[in-house]
Amino acid sequence: MIISIIRTLLLYAFVILAIRLMGKRQISDMQPSELVVTLIVSDIAAIPMSNTSQPLLSGIIPVLVLIACEIIASIIMLKNRKFRGLICGSPITVIEDGKLMQNEMKRLRMSTEDLCIQLRQQDIFSLDEVQYCIVETNGKISVLQKPEKRTVTLENLDIKVPDTKLETVVISDGQLLQNSLRLCKNDKETVDKILYKENVAIDDIFIMTLDGAGNYKIITKEN
């Protein structure tokens, strides 16, 4: 039992590392090749995990080979558009200038119900609102609404607003987050000055947000 637990933990950590090497993507955002590799990796890793008579290398080596192939393929796809099109396919327009492209939908084996479901998930409840709809290589759709249906922006109204830059959580439960500080273009000295000004210790802070313009908000821990 102890051996099984140790093997499971080792394979669990190894598979996580292997998937991380492929890049940070959710299942729904994966390209076909990435999804296939992920599914095969999980199956291969399960064999030595459930069968203790199988050596660990029988699961680790095939996974390493698959990940190496995927990384090499992704590098080639960056350099060669034809190879990328062969592996991942290309985006397909199913609505063009407000016209439903029936042949393209048949090619995708996509029903009108499937299309309407994805449109509703983007808060579009009528085909009449859509000017262009493109099915991306990961299966999701990108939609451009007709001009009269698009949301009015401040630029359309010729209104200028101050740019506060990116706001991030720089302190979480008493811990300073260095990566968040870099994102909002600040440093620890800025945080220290704010804490001194507010007369509060970092250990007493539940959440502190800060943006690139120096605006901040502090929520202290409840007693």
Side-chain angles (χ1 to χ4, degrees):
M1 181 63 70
I2 294 176
I3 293 175
S4 296
I5 293 173
I6 294 173
R7 288 166 65 95
T8 300
L9 291 175
L10 289 174
L11 286 167
Y12 173 73
F14 174 71
V15 170
I16 289 178
L17 176 62
I19 299 300
R20 282 291 303 275
L21 290 174
M22 289 174 54
K24 295 181 179 179
R25 289 184 190 240
Q26 295 181 358
I27 293 295
S28 59
D29 295 330
M30 285 184 174
Q31 297 293 346
S33 61
E34 295 172 327
L35 180 59
V36 169
V37 169
T38 302
L39 294 175
I40 295 176
V41 164
S42 63
D43 284 341
I44 292 175
I47 295 173
M49 192 180 296
S50 58
N51 186 358
T52 55
S53 63
Q54 288 279 346
L56 279 177
L57 288 179
S58 66
I60 291 175
I61 292 176
V63 169
L64 286 175
V65 172
L66 284 170
I67 297 301
C69 289
E70 176 56 32
I71 292 173
I72 292 170
S74 64
I75 293 173
I76 296 174
M77 283 190 284
L78 286 174
K79 304 292 184 181
N80 192 314
R81 295 182 63 183
K82 289 184 179 180
F83 182 75
R84 179 178 176 81
L86 179 65
I87 299 297
C88 299
S90 57
I92 296 176
T93 303
V94 293
I95 298 179
E96 184 174 352
D97 264 335
K99 180 183 178 182
L100 193 64
M101 311 300 288
Q102 297 182 32
N103 289 335
E104 299 296 345
M105 291 191 63
K106 289 178 182 178
R107 176 183 165 192
L108 288 169
R109 295 186 296 278
M110 185 181 197
S111 68
T112 53
E113 289 83 1
D114 294 332
L115 177 60
C116 289
I117 287 171
Q118 293 204 52
L119 288 173
R120 287 196 296 270
Q121 290 174 345
Q122 299 198 27
D123 294 328
I124 298 174
F125 289 83
S126 173
L127 292 175
D128 293 334
E129 299 180 28
V130 182
Q131 184 174 7
Y132 284 92
C133 179
I134 300 171
V135 179
E136 307 294 352
T137 55
N138 61 4
K140 292 186 176 182
I141 63 171
S142 300
V143 180
L144 177 67
Q145 290 180 280
K146 292 180 178 178
E148 63 273 15
K149 297 294 184 180
R150 297 174 197 168
T151 303
V152 177
T153 65
L154 294 174
E155 183 181 9
N156 298 141
L157 300 174
D158 198 24
I159 298 175
K160 295 183 178 180
V161 294
D163 183 6
T164 58
K165 307 298 182 183
L166 179 67
E167 180 184 74
T168 62
V169 176
V170 294
I171 296 178
S172 176
D173 200 13
Q175 297 294 320
L176 185 66
L177 308 179
Q178 294 289 350
N179 187 54
S180 296
L181 278 174
R182 287 192 293 270
L183 284 174
C184 66
K185 309 296 183 184
N186 279 293
D187 52 31
K188 186 176 182 297
E189 291 182 5
T190 303
V191 174
D192 290 338
K193 290 178 182 178
I194 294 172
L195 297 183
Y196 179 78
K197 175 184 174 182
E198 297 293 333
N199 193 26
V200 60
I202 188 172
D203 293 335
D204 296 329
I205 296 176
F206 183 62
I207 287 178
M208 175 180 171
T209 62
L210 181 64
D211 63 31
N215 302 310
Y216 61 89
K217 181 178 181 180
I218 295 175
I219 300 176
T220 57
K221 296 179 182 179
E222 296 179 352
N223 295 326

